Amino acid sequence: MNAAGGAEAATPLDARPGPREREPYLRISNLWKAFGDFVALRDVSLEIEQGEFVCFLGPSGCGKTTLLRAIAGLDPQSRGTIEQAGVDISTLPASRRDYGIVFQSYALFPNLTVRDNIAFGLENTRRPRREIDARVAELLQLVGLPEQARKYPTQLSGGQQQRIALARAIAIKPGLLLLDEPLSALDAKVRVHLRHEIKELQRKLGVTTIMVTHDQEEALSMADRIVVMNHGVIEQVGTPTEVYRHPATLFVADFVGETNKFESVLRDGNVRIGDVALQASTGAIAEGKPVTVAVRPEDILPHPAAHADDGQPNVFRVQIEDMEFLGSYWRTHLRAAALRGAPLVSNFSMNAVRRLGLETGREISVELPAERVLVFPREG
Amino acid sequence: MDGTQIAMPPGKAVRLRVDRDGAIKRLFMVVIGLYLVIALALPLYAMMSRSLVTYSFDLTRYEFQVSDEAGNWGEPVSAAELNARLGRFAPTDLRTNTNGRLSATDFFPDFSFRSPVKYRLRGTTDNAPWLVGLDLKNTTAWQEYDSNTFRRVNLRPVASQGLQNYAEYFSNPALFSSIENSIFIATVSTVLTVVLAFGFAYAINRSCMPFKGSFRLVAMMPILVPSLLPGIALIYLFGNQGMLKEMLGGQSIYGPLGIVIGSVFFTFPHAFIIISTALSLADQRQYEAAESLRASKWRTFWIVTIPGARYGLISAAFVTFTLVITDFGLPKVIGGQYNVLAIDIYKQVIGQQNFEMGAVVSMILLIPAVVAFAVDRQMQKKQVSLLSARSVPFEPRPNRRFEMFCLAWCGAIAVFIMGIILVCQYAALVKFWPYDLSLSLNNYDFNRMDGGGWASYWNSIEMAALTAVIGTVVVFTGAYMVEKVDGFAAGRNVFQFLAMLPMAIPGMVLGLAYIFFFNNPANPLNAIYGTMAILVVSTVTHFYTVGHLTALTALKQIDAEFEPVASSLRQPFYRLFARVTVPVCLPAILDISIYLFVNAMTTVSAVVFLYSTQTTLASIAVLNMDDAGDIAPAAAMGMMIFYTNAVARILHAVVTRRVLVRTQAWRRR
Ligand SMILES: Nc1ncnc2c1ncn2[C@@H]1O[C@H](COP(=O)(O)OP(=O)(O)O)[C@@H](O)[C@H]1O
Ligand SMILES: [Mg+2]
């Protein structure tokens, strides 16, 4: 993986920088999926390494589930190939592929006990019953529900059902674990807890895992790599920090984390917003092109004195209009005369607020570091 | 990432290889689909083509030669010419059916079988059949007969394709008036039934009236008896020696009056279920909105209740209309001289052996049935879309005057339904109405009557049990395959169509179609004709659709993700089917089997053409005993059907409850 910072890191992985030591575990090449006239996946290519935890992240309807179902062989792609462990599985039916799956509904068999649900994939394999029981006990231990074997799914909480579904999926030791929005039906609290547990479990088992989610926090906190999708297209593939710090497209910048956005035009490597000319990392965008400038709230740095840094590039004066205390930081709404009144949202740390004595109504200077001013070409 | 939209590369869509599961599912679907083709589509096709076949004597195809007494042959002369000379047969006289025979001596007025005159006959085309006794001849070589043999020579008709049968049907005022009669009684019965059932369902769903459970039970009773049973009760009440004959003031119960009253009885539960379902979907909030707008009760009824139930009402009306117009038992028992379409089919086929005309009437009877079916499906779909997930169930509020009114309405209907059944029971027990009113079980001694005796009853039990078991397995399996097979869209659509078709086919039509298809020596399946097997096949097919829909509804309610999970766990689908799908759907499966059992016990229309002396049925025995004037034994046999079905239903309720109790742990939501 290309770990170097800067715009470089935003290149999708399938650009394949240099030779690899080994084949990827899963290789998806030029995948298309059409439902009638509607194209749900457009030329999707992706590689996933053995043991990786990958999240498909994107808004509802962008094609995440469609891609997952193609990988599972439940709803075949229209064009393109899928290889798993070096074997072309493009036309294999689901039953001949090697994966375990957990659906949003969990799809636990209601008339079978927890034990029988987990054992469903183990029976019928000429294994002695004792061995199956031992494996079920081991799995229940693993998901932290050792006491629940004799209960029925409806007698468990949502979080417990979710873990049983997970245990059932990994019981047969699949090479690939597919999770379709496994946490979205749960309460916020349980969700945060389970995130951690699933991640732990995956690390322990080392099973290659793909999880679909529309929750960016979930993806950022769990994934080794995130695949950001939009309208059936992969926008970016990268580690959580890459995706967050160096979004490849405006869509990614917008969808993952928050941004202040301004429209501008690129002149002399600068972007002008109102009366302020900002230096920025503009990459390969041509002179004179219309662009959108994006700045994350936490990348706006407050300066102690009102006039201290005047004249420096990317520093200008703002007025604090409103402050909201959000626990670990202050969400601060700013307005700058230099920006011709355009509002600016920033997150100031508790520390900075105390140290600089920031409060509503004060005028301060802020800095937008050049490498944190993100510039994207604007269409049309 | 470039923003330009590239198009999908050309080529064929990727298709997954079919695994063993997929192959087995497809195989099952194809087998059950083939069953439906053989048991439904092909017989209907046979009937349809038969309705287009006309039989007539084509006199131009025959040539005669007659000798004088000395044995000198005269000139050959065609039968057509002889007929023209004699003016013997008009063209319409030459029209006939498959069984038609025309005596050759009709062309020779001075024929005498003692005369030494000899006759020769030959065909002038390849197809000019005639019979000598029972021997079929068909030749263009001269055949010589002495006069004693010649009197046994009969010309046979030849078949031709065309719409003549239809033309004949519509030009026959007696037959044509059956259409009017059928429409008349069906319309009147429909209006009455829908109004009565709406009131009944309204009271049960929208009032705080007591005894709702009992009323519901009574409303369902007519389903347990054959449709001709109310006819028998009405004869006892208002017939020539009826208990309440005077009440009719000289009106005869035999005819439209009896048919309409009986039809209201036997269609009532069907209309009630449909309307009650529609009313139970009401949304409390609409009523609260109407109330907040100060709409009067009466206005609320017309702007909220009726529109909310409109699909149910329309659907109920069409279902009732079809049930009445296709019913055969009731007009047979109490119709008197009043002819309706279903009776015409029976008369044409059983009475006159005119199968072609029977087929024509069947085709005509198909029209209202198919229209009603299409409308009903449309209404059901719309009804479903009315159902919003967030609607708040309607809670009726107490209102004494309204409750008294409801109680009176439902009470009157309950008295009517119970009355009919009790009269039948009384009729079955009275020794000799109206002369000896002492009670006895003599009328249950069926072996002394025509109609097959007790054997008919046991045949019915056997038939109903077989139908319930085989039918449930076939219907549920078929529904599972069509619901859970991946891909194979064309096959699924065909199957779905075949599974819905039986609902649109009246029983009489199905039965007649079976005669055409199975009673054909060229058909390898001919062997099942006249056996128990054909009765079971026809009954399963006749009642296929409702079972199929019940199964589909149940299957749609279980998680669609079960199959993917099972296949990801590399388990065959049949393991999932046996361990999860069937147990989860058990209540629906029991519903399907009781539905098939009860209907198999009461059905008359399809099987009336198909039973043999070895396989008489209880419902047919009721019909035949009534026909023979043994009305009391007919009532007794009808009551046997009632007891049996009642017991079956109670058993079903007990088993269902036990299943639910036993599985309560996991069914709780
Ligand atoms: N079986 C289907 N038929 C038609 N359109 C579908 C089907 N399944 C999904 N789609 C469409 O494809 C798009 C992507 O769906 P999906 O992959 O489920 O999105 P998500 O990213 O929310 O999981 C959506 O616009 C959806 O409407
Ligand atoms: Mg999805």
Side-chain angles (χ1 to χ4, degrees):
Chain A
M1 225 169 303
N2 191 343
E8 277 280 39
T11 337
L13 207 88
D14 57 342
R16 295 204 203 137
R20 299 174 157 274
E21 303 130 50
R22 52 175 182 170
E23 280 293 297
Y25 180 69
L26 194 70
R27 175 183 286 155
I28 294 162
S29 317
N30 308 102
L31 218 62
W32 292 77
K33 174 72 185 179
F35 294 110
D37 283 341
F38 176 74
V39 181
L41 292 177
R42 271 178 199 285
D43 203 26
V44 168
S45 295
L46 180 67
E47 290 181 0
I48 295 174
E49 300 297 328
Q50 178 90 49
E52 248 190 319
F53 193 124
V54 170
C55 274
F56 294 172
L57 174 66
S60 180
C62 72
K64 309 178 294 289
T65 298
T66 305
L67 181 54
L68 196 78
R69 290 179 70 89
I71 295 170
L74 299 176
D75 226 337
Q77 69 277 16
S78 307
R79 306 277 189 283
T81 56
I82 304 173
E83 285 163 62
Q84 183 177 359
V87 180
D88 186 344
I89 59 164
S90 309
T91 61
L92 282 191
S95 59
R96 306 259 300 274
R97 300 190 184 189
D98 176 21
Y99 67 91
I101 191 161
V102 176
F103 290 102
Q104 188 174 354
S105 66
Y106 315 141
L108 290 173
F109 306 133
N111 62 322
L112 302 185
T113 58
V114 164
R115 186 250 168 220
D116 289 346
N117 262 286
I118 297 178
F120 194 83
L122 301 170
E123 287 162 356
N124 229 23
T125 50
R126 296 214 190 108
R127 255 183 257 217
R129 197 186 152 87
R130 270 192 315 134
E131 204 177 298
I132 294 174
D133 281 338
R135 175 83 177 128
V136 170
E138 180 192 353
L139 286 160
L140 282 171
Q141 194 72 46
L142 199 62
V143 297
L145 296 169
E147 309 295 317
Q148 315 284 356
R150 305 173 68 100
K151 288 195 177 164
Y152 288 103
T154 43
Q155 297 167 321
L156 302 179
S157 72
Q160 290 173 324
Q161 291 184 25
Q162 208 280 328
R163 282 183 277 183
I164 300 302
L166 196 60
R168 181 178 64 182
I170 59 179
I172 56 164
K173 301 188 175 154
L176 180 63
L177 183 58
L178 305 177
L179 312 170
D180 191 356
E181 310 245 3
L183 302 176
S184 63
L186 301 172
D187 300 342
K189 233 195 178 131
V190 184
R191 201 149 65 199
V192 172
H193 176 68
L194 268 181
R195 262 187 216 165
H196 181 71
E197 283 205 0
I198 292 178
K199 179 71 190 154
E200 266 311 295
L201 190 65
Q202 188 267 344
R203 202 171 288 153
K204 224 184 291 179
L205 299 172
V207 57
T208 312
T209 301
I210 300 175
M211 183 174 100
V212 162
T213 179
H214 63 264
D215 180 340
Q216 45 133 341
E217 242 181 74
E218 219 165 272
L220 290 171
S221 65
M222 295 172 80
D224 295 329
R225 273 194 308 149
I226 297 176
V227 177
V228 187
M229 298 179 61
N230 187 28
H231 292 312
V233 173
I234 294 184
E235 296 265 337
Q236 183 174 12
V237 180
T239 64
T241 35
E242 280 166 3
V243 167
Y244 190 85
R245 301 278 294 172
H246 307 286
T249 63
L250 180 62
F251 170 81
V252 177
D254 227 12
F255 191 76
V256 183
E258 289 173 288
T259 52
N260 294 288
K261 278 185 292 181
F262 309 97
E263 308 214 320
S264 180
V265 175
L266 197 63
R267 297 239 181 276
D268 310 326
N270 282 349
V271 284
R272 174 165 288 279
I273 305 164
D275 305 326
V276 185
L278 291 175
Q279 295 179 357
S281 48
T282 54
I285 304 169
E287 219 16 57
K289 285 275 178 206
V291 294
T292 301
V293 179
V295 181
R296 295 209 185 275
E298 65 271 22
D299 289 335
I300 299 175
L301 306 176
H303 279 235
H307 302 279
D309 297 296
D310 270 7
Q312 281 192 15
N314 291 19
V315 176
F316 52 92
R317 257 186 285 171
V318 296
Q319 172 109 29
I320 298 180
E321 285 215 313
D322 187 27
M323 296 180 76
E324 280 170 78
F325 180 52
L326 291 180
S328 47
Y329 61 89
W330 288 84
R331 156 140 313 195
T332 311
H333 297 266
L334 310 169
R335 199 171 288 278
L339 297 183
R340 302 237 175 98
L344 202 57
V345 176
S346 62
N347 295 342
F348 292 154
S349 72
M350 301 251 288
N351 241 332
V353 170
R354 199 170 336 108
R355 190 160 39 82
L356 303 176
L358 304 186
E359 59 188 34
T360 305
R362 274 196 60 184
E363 201 177 70
I364 58 169
S365 288
V366 291
E367 180 186 355
L368 276 48
E371 76 278 8
R372 302 305 313 139
V373 177
L374 309 170
V375 180
F376 304 99
R378 183 146 46 95
E379 252 102 75
Chain B
M1 228 109 310
D2 60 355
T4 56
Q5 298 255 313
I6 45 170
M8 188 156 78
K12 285 180 81 166
V14 171
R15 282 190 162 206
L16 297 181
R17 270 179 264 164
V18 175
D19 58 353
R20 202 182 45 163
D21 273 14
I24 298 174
K25 283 187 204 169
R26 281 167 164 74
L27 183 72
F28 265 102
M29 214 172 95
V30 169
V31 168
I32 296 176
L34 271 180
Y35 164 81
L36 286 169
V37 167
I38 291 172
L40 186 66
L42 292 181
L44 283 176
Y45 178 75
M47 187 191 76
M48 209 176 293
S49 38
R50 197 61 178 271
S51 77
L52 295 173
V53 174
T54 323
Y55 289 88
S56 61
F57 300 105
D58 185 353
L59 300 183
T60 60
R61 297 182 184 210
Y62 303 92
E63 236 175 14
F64 290 104
Q65 214 175 1
V66 193
S67 78
D68 59 16
E69 301 197 353
N72 303 314
W73 291 103
E75 284 295 303
V77 55
S78 83
E81 199 181 326
L82 283 174
N83 186 39
R85 271 187 228 156
L86 294 168
R88 184 80 173 73
F89 299 109
T92 47
D93 298 335
L94 294 172
R95 210 143 333 122
T96 179
N97 56 43
T98 22
N99 297 310
R101 283 164 174 74
L102 191 63
S103 173
T105 56
D106 282 345
F107 297 103
F108 303 96
D110 36 6
F111 169 80
S112 158
F113 68 93
R114 295 228 175 87
S115 133
V117 167
K118 289 195 169 154
Y119 297 86
R120 278 176 171 175
L121 173 55
R122 67 165 191 164
T124 54
T125 69
D126 291 345
N127 186 15
W130 72 87
L131 287 169
V132 183
L134 292 173
D135 282 353
L136 185 68
K137 298 274 187 232
N138 195 349
T139 172
T140 50
W142 284 110
Q143 304 290 312
E144 196 170 316
Y145 305 108
D146 60 26
S147 52
N148 193 29
T149 314
F150 191 65
R151 71 176 167 160
R152 296 195 297 128
V153 170
N154 279 299
L155 304 189
R156 293 279 285 132
V158 290
S160 58
Q161 296 277 325
L163 292 168
Q164 285 98 314
N165 291 329
Y166 289 88
E168 190 178 327
Y169 178 83
F170 284 106
S171 59
N172 181 340
L175 288 176
F176 193 68
S177 72
S178 301
I179 297 185
E180 280 173 26
N181 291 349
S182 278
I183 292 177
F184 174 71
I185 56 152
T187 309
V188 175
S189 310
T190 300
V191 171
L192 281 173
T193 306
V194 168
V195 168
L196 291 174
F198 178 80
F200 202 94
Y202 191 85
I204 284 191
N205 284 286
R206 301 291 172 84
S207 81
C208 297
M209 168 186 84
F211 313 124
K212 284 184 186 177
S214 313
F215 279 132
R216 223 181 257 278
L217 215 60
V218 172
M220 301 315 291
M221 273 188 185
I223 284 189
L224 306 181
V225 299
S227 65
L228 35 77
L229 205 71
I232 291 175
L234 290 174
I235 291 173
Y236 268 83
L237 285 170
F238 305 109
N240 294 334
Q241 296 172 324
M243 315 173 196
L244 307 172
K245 187 166 184 251
E246 293 72 35
M247 272 178 61
L248 290 187
Q251 273 268 9
S252 171
I253 193 72
Y254 298 96
L257 184 61
I259 301 179
V260 166
I261 298 177
S263 295
V264 169
F265 174 85
F266 89 88
T267 57
F268 186 83
H270 301 275
F272 166 68
I273 297 173
I274 297 171
I275 298 173
S276 186
T277 308
L279 284 175
S280 70
L281 300 176
D283 192 340
Q284 173 94 38
R285 291 170 306 176
Q286 288 189 345
Y287 288 86
E288 282 164 2
E291 198 163 274
S292 70
L293 292 173
R294 308 238 163 103
S296 72
K297 286 243 159 59
W298 184 241
R299 221 175 114 66
T300 308
F301 179 81
W302 284 107
I303 59 172
V304 179
T305 307
I306 294 288
R310 67 183 182 279
Y311 299 130
L313 285 169
I314 296 173
S315 178
F318 275 90
V319 166
T320 309
F321 189 89
T322 319
L323 282 172
V324 176
I325 207 168
T326 60
D327 179 54
F328 157 74
L330 203 48
K332 181 82 178 61
V333 169
I334 205 166
Q337 301 304 311
Y338 195 75
N339 269 351
V340 295
L341 287 169
I343 292 288
D344 280 345
I345 299 180
Y346 185 73
K347 280 190 181 161
Q348 292 291 337
V349 172
I350 302 290
Q352 307 184 9
Q353 299 280 310
N354 188 345
F355 291 93
E356 289 71 33
M357 199 47 83
V360 169
V361 186
S362 294
M363 294 304 294
I364 288 163
L365 197 54
L366 264 181
I367 298 169
V370 169
V371 169
F373 167 77
V375 172
D376 181 50
R377 294 307 304 159
Q378 210 55 37
M379 292 301 130
Q380 297 288 344
K381 264 187 213 146
K382 292 196 174 161
Q383 177 97 61
V384 168
S385 62
L386 266 190
L387 228 181
S388 93
R390 287 182 302 117
S391 78
V392 181
F394 181 83
E395 288 283 344
R397 270 177 257 161
N399 174 343
R400 268 200 73 76
R401 272 183 54 197
F402 179 58
E403 278 148 32
M404 293 323 284
F405 178 75
C406 289
L407 214 50
W409 184 280
C410 295
I413 292 171
V415 165
F416 167 62
I417 292 175
M418 291 298 293
I420 294 270
I421 290 177
L422 287 176
V423 166
C424 272
Q425 181 60 82
Y426 181 65
L429 291 175
V430 165
K431 221 176 226 166
F432 190 37
W433 177 266
Y435 307 107
D436 179 356
L437 298 186
S438 60
L439 302 183
S440 84
L441 289 175
N442 287 354
N443 292 324
Y444 286 84
D445 193 1
F446 301 125
N447 288 342
R448 293 190 306 129
M449 329 280 170
D450 286 342
W454 275 97
S456 306
Y457 176 72
W458 297 117
N459 281 340
S460 260
I461 298 273
E462 184 188 346
M463 201 274 270
L466 285 172
T467 301
V469 172
I470 298 172
T472 305
V473 170
V474 171
V475 166
F476 191 78
T477 311
Y480 179 81
M481 299 307 156
V482 77
E483 179 66 19
K484 303 293 183 188
V485 77
D486 302 313
F488 202 35
R492 289 166 63 169
N493 288 339
V494 171
F495 188 94
Q496 198 64 14
F497 175 77
L498 285 171
M500 296 308 297
L501 196 56
M503 187 118 114
I505 310 299
M508 298 292 289
V509 177
L510 190 69
L512 185 57
Y514 272 37
I515 298 186
F516 291 133
F517 185 66
F518 289 104
N519 190 20
N520 175 354
N523 186 337
L525 294 168
N526 181 236
I528 74 165
Y529 194 74
T531 65
M532 181 59 82
I534 198 169
L535 297 180
V536 173
V537 167
S538 73
T539 310
V540 168
T541 311
H542 187 182
F543 298 107
Y544 196 97
T545 307
V546 171
H548 179 71
L549 291 175
T550 308
L552 273 191
T553 307
L555 287 167
K556 278 188 199 301
Q557 277 167 359
I558 61 180
D559 199 324
E561 250 93 61
F562 285 172
E563 274 71 21
V565 165
S567 68
S568 82
L569 295 172
R570 290 174 220 131
Q571 297 298 316
F573 83 93
Y574 45 84
R575 196 158 168 259
L576 180 75
F577 182 75
R579 285 209 64 190
V580 179
T581 315
V582 169
V584 170
C585 294
L586 203 52
I589 292 173
L590 290 172
D591 285 349
I592 297 171
S593 59
I594 188 71
Y595 169 82
L596 289 174
F597 184 90
V598 166
N599 278 296
M601 283 302 292
T602 59
T603 190
V604 175
S605 54
V607 291
V608 74
F609 291 135
L610 302 174
Y611 74 92
S612 69
T613 47
Q614 311 306 313
T615 57
T616 50
L617 298 172
S619 52
I620 302 291
V622 177
L623 188 78
N624 288 342
M625 289 193 278
D626 172 80
D627 218 25
D630 295 329
I631 304 183
M637 186 62 99
M639 290 314 290
M640 285 308 300
I641 297 176
F642 174 73
Y643 312 141
T644 310
N645 277 338
V647 168
R649 279 226 84 112
I650 291 168
L651 270 180
H652 168 257
V654 169
V655 172
T656 303
R657 162 163 273 152
R658 283 195 49 186
V659 165
L660 290 177
V661 167
R662 233 192 40 212
T663 59
Q664 193 183 12
W666 56 265
R667 275 191 201 276
R668 206 170 41 88
R669 310 208 91 222

